[in-house]
Amino acid sequence: MEKPKVVLGVSGGIAAYKACELLRRLTESGHDVRVVPTEASLHFVGAATWSALSGHPVSTEVWNDVHEVPHVRIGQHADLVVVAPATADLLARAAHGLADDLLTNTLLTARCPVVFAPAMHTEMWEHPATRENVATLRRRGAVVIEPAVGRLTGVDTGKGRLPDPGEIFEVCRRVLARGPAAPDLAGRHVVISAGGTREPLDPVRYLGNRSSGKQGYALARTAVARGARVTLVEANTGLPDPSGADIVRVGTATQLREAVLKAAADADVVVMAAAVADFRPAEYAAGKIKKKDGQEPAPIALVRNPDILAEVAGRRARPEQIVVGFAAETDNVLANGREKLRRKGCDLLVVNEVGERRTFGAEENEAVVLAADGGETPVPFGPKEALADTVWDLVSPRLA
Ligand code: CTP
């Protein structure tokens, strides 16, 4: 079988050195990689490195090997183009359709999925010019993953770091697995809640639940690979950040509600995968609750938490917004699920049958996705990413 052809574009940022690791991962996993650096990037990593690691000649401009018409051929024959790091300048040139070097020519001739992994200083990432360029690229179907937050060049920290090469590799793998189809969530903003809330009793104790957050994280990773801008509101998961998503960390149901409503204001899709506590302690003890000799413990009074899913579905920050809920049921799964779907007012409800094999924290899941329009999609026992992709398969046509 022919190896999948990947073009690795490298633009002129310090993070170019991390692209060597991405290249290694791609070649070692059986991809035929052609590296196309920009002239500026050669200040950071030289052409000899790219050539030796990829086993292909390397050029930055269109005037080498002209008889092979590289400015057209490289893009035309690619199964995937990934640009890592993508600088502000490269994003601007790509958004405006410039063709002033081999990489921008390649971007114009490529008909396969294109992934940009931006890396730059926070100010540059937040500049309205860059915001617009990113929005333009996403609207046209490119996968632009969100930069990570952390140490930047010099002493600064903030948003703008190139995500870990291993994670960019995983995004590439998922995009390639979907074939030549354009990423169907490109240009969409997706909000996902994940994990389980903790409702504090005192400074050391809380009421919590067993949700691991793995299903929500699988939804985030797959949505990134399908081109969405992803806001992941996570509660107490302790899981490593999925690359390419914006992460908002919360603890309690009240904080989760605030974060979800804020992010939902401009969202195309809201998925409530988090296990939200229905009740919280009526009172929070500022000091640790102590046991008293000879006394029975005082009962814990609880109050209701707001139903965030019902609120999001009832409000619909945008009329065409799609709202997806989750439900864990033990008996009368479908009947209870249908009733819950109606009660919560969401478009889709992923109903998990809770059983012995399907415990919280597992890597796999089995579910039925119920739709408000009567649809019923069974998802067989399998990886949580497979269920996540089924959810997006059902969301995507409803967005159109
Ligand atoms: N949910 C929510 N806010 C809550 C409780 C739940 O947004 N306070 C959301 C969950 O994120 C999930 C869905 O509602 O998407 C279903 O939660 P579930 O606990 O199954 O439903 P309940 O309304 O609590 O119904 P019941 O406990 O009666 O089964």
Side-chain angles (χ1 to χ4, degrees):
M1 235 177 53
E2 220 183 300
K3 290 178 173 181
K5 287 191 168 54
V6 175
V7 173
L8 171 60
V10 183
S11 58
I14 183 74
Y17 77 90
K18 294 189 191 169
C20 300
E21 172 67 18
L22 175 59
L23 173 56
R24 276 318 271 259
R25 297 239 182 178
L26 287 165
T27 53
E28 282 169 13
S29 54
H31 300 85
D32 179 15
V33 188
R34 184 82 196 234
V35 183
V36 184
T38 64
E39 191 64 37
S41 78
L42 297 183
H43 289 291
F44 299 103
V45 180
T49 301
W50 298 128
S51 192
L53 289 178
S54 69
H56 285 294
V58 165
S59 170
T60 62
E61 37 104 332
V62 297
W63 307 115
N64 296 330
D65 305 315
V66 176
H67 62 287
E68 286 176 1
V69 207
H71 74 290
V72 179
R73 286 279 166 77
I74 295 174
Q76 274 179 340
H77 290 181
D79 297 304
L80 173 77
V81 178
V82 50
V83 185
T87 59
D89 177 71
L90 187 279
L91 293 173
R93 289 190 291 138
H96 288 83
L98 299 191
D100 51 0
D101 61 7
L102 188 56
L103 179 54
T104 44
N105 273 273
T106 299
L107 288 168
L108 284 179
T109 51
R111 291 294 172 269
C112 58
V114 178
V115 175
F116 292 94
M120 64 197 73
H121 257 73
T122 312
E123 292 83 350
M124 298 173 89
W125 175 250
E126 289 174 350
H127 194 283
T130 307
R131 307 302 328 132
E132 275 178 38
N133 291 331
V134 168
T136 301
L137 291 166
R138 283 180 171 152
R139 220 175 19 250
R140 287 193 205 127
V143 177
V144 184
I145 66 178
E146 293 289 316
V149 177
R151 182 82 185 265
L152 304 171
T153 331
V155 294
D156 318 18
T157 52
K159 188 167 180 179
R161 262 173 82 86
L162 187 74
D164 180 66
E167 293 176 19
I168 303 173
F169 168 71
E170 289 300 326
V171 173
C172 293
R173 204 180 46 73
R174 286 187 197 100
V175 173
L176 273 167
R178 290 185 48 75
D184 57 351
L185 297 177
R188 304 294 189 172
H189 179 204
V190 164
V191 177
I192 300 160
S193 71
T197 64
R198 289 180 183 173
E199 311 299 319
L201 270 164
D202 69 14
V204 291
R205 304 180 180 99
Y206 58 82
L207 299 180
N209 61 67
R210 289 181 191 278
S211 173
S212 68
K214 285 178 183 169
Q215 185 60 61
Y217 275 56
L219 282 155
R221 288 192 300 267
T222 47
V224 166
R226 295 169 81 135
R229 170 161 79 86
V230 177
T231 304
L232 178 66
V233 180
E234 78 88 26
N236 311 302
T237 63
L239 295 173
D241 293 351
S243 70
D246 277 329
I247 319 280
V248 184
R249 293 186 205 287
V250 298
T252 65
T254 310
Q255 292 165 353
L256 189 118
R257 174 179 171 273
E258 217 168 276
V260 166
L261 290 182
K262 185 167 172 229
D266 72 343
D268 298 286
V269 189
V270 181
V271 184
M272 283 294 298
V276 184
D278 285 322
F279 310 101
R280 66 177 182 276
E283 279 183 41
Y284 172 75
K288 187 181 170 197
I289 302 167
K290 304 290 266 184
K291 56 186 170 303
K292 299 201 179 81
D293 280 346
Q295 277 186 24
E296 287 300 308
I300 298 168
L302 300 174
V303 291
R304 282 289 286 266
N305 273 329
D307 188 323
I308 305 165
L309 176 61
E311 191 174 348
V312 170
R315 263 193 204 192
R316 305 273 167 164
R318 299 165 70 168
E320 66 286 2
Q321 192 172 69
I322 304 293
V323 179
V324 184
F326 272 72
E329 302 289 341
T330 48
D331 9 57
N332 291 328
V333 177
L334 290 184
N336 283 348
R338 280 252 159 255
E339 194 277 321
K340 196 171 279 184
L341 177 79
R342 257 191 310 278
R343 178 155 50 86
K344 304 258 186 180
C346 48
D347 301 287
L348 296 169
L349 189 78
V350 184
V351 188
N352 290 125
E353 187 177 346
V354 186
E356 274 177 22
R357 215 162 41 128
R358 309 136 193 145
T359 47
F360 283 115
E363 300 302 328
E364 278 142 333
N365 213 344
E366 178 178 12
V368 179
V369 187
L370 302 177
D373 56 22
E376 218 165 82
T377 310
V379 185
F381 188 74
K384 289 186 171 174
E385 283 199 11
L387 172 56
D389 266 320
T390 305
V391 171
W392 300 127
D393 288 345
L394 292 166
V395 163
S396 177
R398 287 173 167 82
L399 286 167

